[in-house]
Amino acid sequence: MRALRPTRRVTALGSAGALVTATLIAGAMAAPSATAASRHGQDREARGAAIAAARAEKAGINWQDCPADWGFVKPIQCGWVSVPLDYAHPNGKQIKLAVDRIGNTGTKEERQGALVYNPGGPGGSGMRFPTRVTGKNPIWANTAKAYDFVGFDPRGVGHSAPISCIDPQEFVKAPKADPVPDSQADKRAQRKLAAEYADGCAERSGKAVLAQMTTPNTARDLDVIRAGLGEKKLNYLGVSYGTYLGAVYGTLFPGHVRRMLVDSVVNPSRDNIWYQANLEQDVAFEGRWKDWEDWVAKNDAAFHLGDTRAKVQNQWLKLRAAAKKSPLGGVVGPAELISFFQSAPYYDSSWVPVATVFSKYVAGDTQAMVDAAAPDLSDTAGNISSENGNAVYTAVECTDAKWPTSWNKWDRDNTRLNKDYPFMTWANAWLNLPCATWPGKQQTPVEVRTGKGLPSVLIVQSTRDAATPYPGAVELHKRFKGSRLITEQGAGSHGVTGLVNPCINTRVDTYLLTGRTDAADVTCTPHATPAP
């Protein structure tokens, strides 16, 4: 699931982007079994990763002032790390990954190395991570004393050999068709668009590149970045999809991990990656949407949208029906509304802004909704970034795992879910449907597990998270022996470690600064609810 609004990036299991309509041995001469062949491929890739890391360690990173158009000013510095496109052929084609950093704010004696960050996606850029220091973010002040904050654009993203699937301006055009189909003809139209999008990925990016757009390859890239930084072991912070990247890294390179903090966790079970994960999201989004409606109803004095959840939901359905009949401002239909409103179940920080715009609309100010939900065709740089993020999301999820190719299965599963969980189900289905006709080989996900040398990993998760439902954290906790789980009970904002909750913030600091965790798992009360 990615945020569907094309002009404002949201990092979850996804960032931004709108596809919603764009969008055994049989004898000495026998061939090796699929398992053996797969293991052989992994062995070659492991050797390739070691070769690439040794090169990067020798080369280091030539840190310089960042290019002016990247938007990062001194003392943030930027550089490049070269990695193989295909780790099975480490001497073949190389691509360059963009990295940036800011030095630790404490003394030389306080410094503990680099802390590398991934915000999610797939398709999210981590390059803004050093701005937590320049912006004097108080939550991260203690950690910043000890660590250089390092961000990077993963392969295919941003400045790192970016890929594309469709013309960016075409990608953001609105209004798109209502994701919820009224007929078989509507479904056929969406299926056609999804297949065209998949073909567009191959045409614009090349099958050879798409075949290497995987989470295991990004984990190998992460290890090459570690080596380029001159770090013997990796300190890592991953949020959302970044938790799955961390889980795969910890599995492939357990002895290379020093500290690992994962926040808002993707369920790493092979069975969950990625088709099932998206179905699970549909259920969780409905639950968090209801949480938001309850909050809006409780604050009816501020928003005047109804004093019960049912009344707020009725206002939503009225708005949706009006936009379906006649798109607001000619550009905001149901697809654009879902893209805008879904930020509320994603992030508590969106509760007030979304409710405020909704309130203005109900009071007669249609333009406020148009301004908030319509794409900005003049923001060409933002649209390029959004299209790129969606392309990477699609490429990684479609290549990481095998997806159902039977339309009947997709139709049956999503029709069933839509009955009880209508807010996101069909929008999410169309977003992911290119994977059903993906023009490349699909892999088998890594079996995430504890390996030799893996230290205690700290896992942080809220129980009402929509994008990465709570059972994902429990599953990773089981698989990573010695890990500790901090549960934020009754909260649901995606990305817990960026919020003010001393019960969590102090434990995150303690872990990153000392490596210590509590003797047992911890449950924290929720952070403060937004005030209108």
Side-chain angles (χ1 to χ4, degrees), residues 4 58 139 206 242 269 279 373 423 440 468 498:
L4 304 175
K58 188 176 178 184
I139 294 172
S269 168
L279 298 180
F423 178 66
T468 53

Side-chain angles (χ1 to χ4, degrees), residues 153-421:
D153 277 344
R155 59 171 56 209
V157 175
H159 307 293
S160 297
I163 66 167
S164 171
C165 294
I166 187 175
D167 176 78
Q169 293 299 97
E170 193 65 32
F171 176 71
V172 302
K173 266 191 192 170
K176 303 189 186 301
D178 186 347
V180 180
D182 290 324
S183 64
Q184 290 302 317
D186 287 351
K187 292 177 182 178
R188 283 193 296 273
Q190 294 279 18
R191 289 173 65 191
K192 181 170 181 279
L193 286 167
E196 287 171 352
Y197 185 87
D199 290 343
C201 293
E203 288 165 16
R204 292 174 73 95
S205 300
K207 287 185 180 180
V209 170
L210 295 183
Q212 305 303 325
M213 290 294 299
T214 66
T215 302
N217 274 345
T218 305
R220 295 177 186 111
D221 294 343
L222 191 54
D223 200 58
V224 178
I225 290 170
R226 171 201 60 75
L229 290 166
E231 302 281 324
K232 293 298 178 196
K233 296 199 172 187
L234 178 73
N235 303 294
Y236 177 74
L237 168 60
V239 181
S240 191
Y241 164 78
T243 67
Y244 183 60
L245 175 59
V248 171
Y249 182 90
T251 300
L252 297 181
F253 304 98
H256 293 186
V257 179
R258 179 175 179 268
R259 308 263 159 82
M260 180 177 287
L261 170 62
V262 288
D263 171 2
S264 303
V265 180
V266 173
N267 185 330
S269 168
R270 277 179 166 176
D271 295 339
N272 192 60
I273 305 297
W274 285 104
Y275 180 76
Q276 187 63 31
N278 282 281
L279 298 180
E280 301 286 348
Q281 283 182 327
D282 300 336
V283 177
F285 261 93
E286 196 72 31
R288 193 59 179 162
W289 172 249
K290 288 174 178 173
D291 291 350
W292 177 71
E293 290 183 320
D294 286 338
W295 174 86
V296 171
K298 188 177 167 188
N299 290 285
D300 186 51
F303 301 118
H304 313 293
L305 291 165
D307 56 7
T308 66
R309 181 202 296 169
K311 289 177 182 176
V312 177
Q313 176 70 2
N314 189 51
Q315 290 285 14
W316 159 248
L317 294 175
K318 279 169 62 179
L319 165 60
R320 204 186 182 293
K324 183 180 176 100
K325 186 177 179 184
S326 179
L328 312 181
V331 287
V332 175
E336 291 70 34
L337 288 176
I338 292 169
S339 299
F340 171 64
F341 274 84
Q342 75 167 23
S343 64
Y346 253 117
Y347 304 113
D348 289 8
S349 59
S350 293
W351 280 19
V352 173
V354 171
T356 300
V357 170
F358 193 10
S359 178
K360 286 179 179 178
Y361 169 81
V362 169
D365 182 359
T366 301
Q367 191 58 43
M369 185 65 73
V370 174
D371 292 343
D376 179 0
L377 291 174
S378 70
D379 180 17
T380 52
N383 296 338
I384 288 168
S385 177
S386 293
E387 190 279 323
N388 167 242
N390 197 79
V392 175
Y393 166 85
T394 309
V396 172
E397 291 212 358
C398 294
T399 309
D400 262 359
K402 292 170 179 64
W403 287 70
T405 55
S406 160
W407 165 246
N408 286 339
K409 177 167 177 57
W410 287 76
D411 194 17
R412 186 172 61 247
D413 288 347
N414 287 283
T415 299
R416 173 179 54 81
L417 276 179
N418 185 67
K419 286 192 178 85
D420 295 319
Y421 312 102

